Amino acid sequence: MAEPRFSRSWRIIGYRSSMDSSFRIQHVDLFCVLFLLFIRSSISVSNEIPGFCAVGYGESECGPSSSSKLLIKGGTVVNADRQEVADVYIEDGIIVSVQPNIKVGDDVTVLDATGKYVMPGGIDPHTHLEMEFMGTETIDDFFSGQAAALSGGTTMHIDFVIPVNGSLSAGFEAYAKKAKKSCMDYGFHMAITKWDEYVEREMEIMVKEKGINSFKFFLAYKGSLMINDELLLKGMKACKSLGALAMVHAENGDAVAEGQKKMIELGITGPEGHVLSRPPVLEGEATGRAIRLASFVNTPLYVVHVMSIDAMEEIAKARKAGQRVIGEPVVSGLVLDDSGLWDPDFTIAAKYVMSPPIRKQGHNKALQAALSTGLLQLVGTDHCTFNSTQKALGIDDFRKIPNGVNGIEERMHLVWDTMVESGKISVTDYVQITSTECARIFNIYPRKGAILAGSDADIIILNPNSSFQITAETHHSRTDTNVYEGRRGKGKVEVTIAGGRVVWKDGELKVLPGTGR
Ligand code: URP
Ligand code: ZN
Ligand code: ZN
């Protein structure tokens, strides 16, 4: 049944109180509040996002700016291979022309980008929206997570479909449904969690009919998502024959289970037990093993969330030997260290729990260096958010703390500040590692990941002289904590354009569910 017209017109505007995730609503009168209450009671829970105006304001006010013609004037347009001062003209969601001094008529909305960078919107290769995991479900869905992404300059992400009872098609259907509320473009990878002839057949259907070209194998999470080497080999062979890309979560799950048992026996039940039970050596072992098996099968390999020197060095060694291995660090691994996990306040420590764990100081700097020299290729987030109540599932036992941290909103700013502002990489490198490389690897370039005539108008305007500050008080994710709480830095995404629509400008987010593809 079609949703009522008013429930599809949302605007995130305003600011949140940190604990109850409720935004205060601006510009609404008493009638609006009453009407709003009526609307909230008539929509599905999954569409409830704090901070909106759904109140009889038509799409032009509540939804994204809907002018189909846009000119971005006078900015420095940056692609992965070059930068130039030019204008960008957009019609109906597509870039029509990139050149200096484009003349347009009065019907075109003009954005002045003088002194600013005009870059492809970020593409996050690694997210988990609305994922059932560890006895709960990630709190950001395809609307709230994407709204957060857009406010931080990311205009596309690739999420991981988790099969339903091992069924890929059931998993695909479930995620296609979840993604209906999308407000930006997205793609899917798919996890492989068991093996039989149906799975092999379904992999082919996913590749040939559903456009999925990457499959993830979990070498950890024993008893749930983890698979053994026999299955990994079968899965890699299937990827090879289908021309799909094999991806691994590389930790030795058997050894992790052993490490966890040891911690509990020692009476270590707090979040620090998470770090102690799964040291870098277990990440290095699994990374090396997966790389060798990929070499044996002779198929490319993509290692997700590279968190340690141990794993990074395995990737670097294989690449040097000529093997096609791609390494994806995530923002948390690049900019944080494990100190937060030792905080005596459980809520603070638990928010940092993710796998592989955030490592000791030193691993982050080494991963930054590997990224700047090309040993690692692109940056993801592994955005996988749980609120404090969900994290408290593990208050007496770190093994039950849902694993995952935020990052989809923060990635573009933190990578700019850590890598470009610090002088480690160039602005073109920045475009490469936050957007273009991902588009190339997953076959969406040059439709995405480039500012070229014919590409989708997914664009950000970044002011290098402006600054950002991160806090759960103002972020757009539904979670009540932020692992980057209090961070400040240079470089601010002032405008985000998704599919030709201005969705983020002047600190205001205007998004509509159902506009993403
Ligand atoms: O802790 C994490 N990384 N949670 C998300 C699931 C995964 O392993 O990617
Ligand atoms: Zn993983
Ligand atoms: Zn992940």
Side-chain angles (χ1 to χ4, degrees), residues 179-226:
K180 280 206 160 78
K181 57 180 93 66
S182 288
C183 52
M184 72 188 211
D185 291 354
Y186 57 89
F188 290 143
H189 315 288
M190 183 168 272
I192 300 295
T193 52
K194 73 168 205 183
W195 194 261
D196 55 32
E197 72 269 28
Y198 298 111
V199 172
E200 193 163 9
R201 171 77 191 116
E202 283 197 309
M203 277 178 79
E204 188 177 349
I205 294 169
M206 291 302 129
V207 171
K208 294 189 175 160
E209 295 173 23
K210 306 293 184 191
I212 287 182
N213 57 25
S214 40
F215 294 94
K216 179 175 176 183
F217 303 90
F218 288 90
L219 308 186
Y221 304 123
K222 192 171 179 177
S224 59
L225 299 172
M226 178 174 150

Side-chain angles (χ1 to χ4, degrees), residues 392-407:
L393 287 168
I395 187 111
D396 297 320
D397 182 344
F398 68 83
R399 294 173 298 182
K400 297 184 181 147
I401 302 171
N403 287 199
V405 301
N406 63 294

Side-chain angles (χ1 to χ4, degrees), residues 126 128 131 133 216 218 221 249 305 354-355 382 384 403-404:
H126 187 158
H128 302 279
M131 175 179 65
F133 188 48
K216 179 175 176 183
F218 288 90
Y221 304 123
H249 171 133
H305 48 42
M354 66 167 288
S355 294
D382 200 2
C384 182
N403 287 199

Side-chain angles (χ1 to χ4, degrees), residues 240-256:
K240 180 181 168 66
S241 75
L242 292 167
L245 181 60
M247 310 172 87
V248 278
H249 171 133
E251 284 182 291
N252 186 315
D254 288 320
V256 167

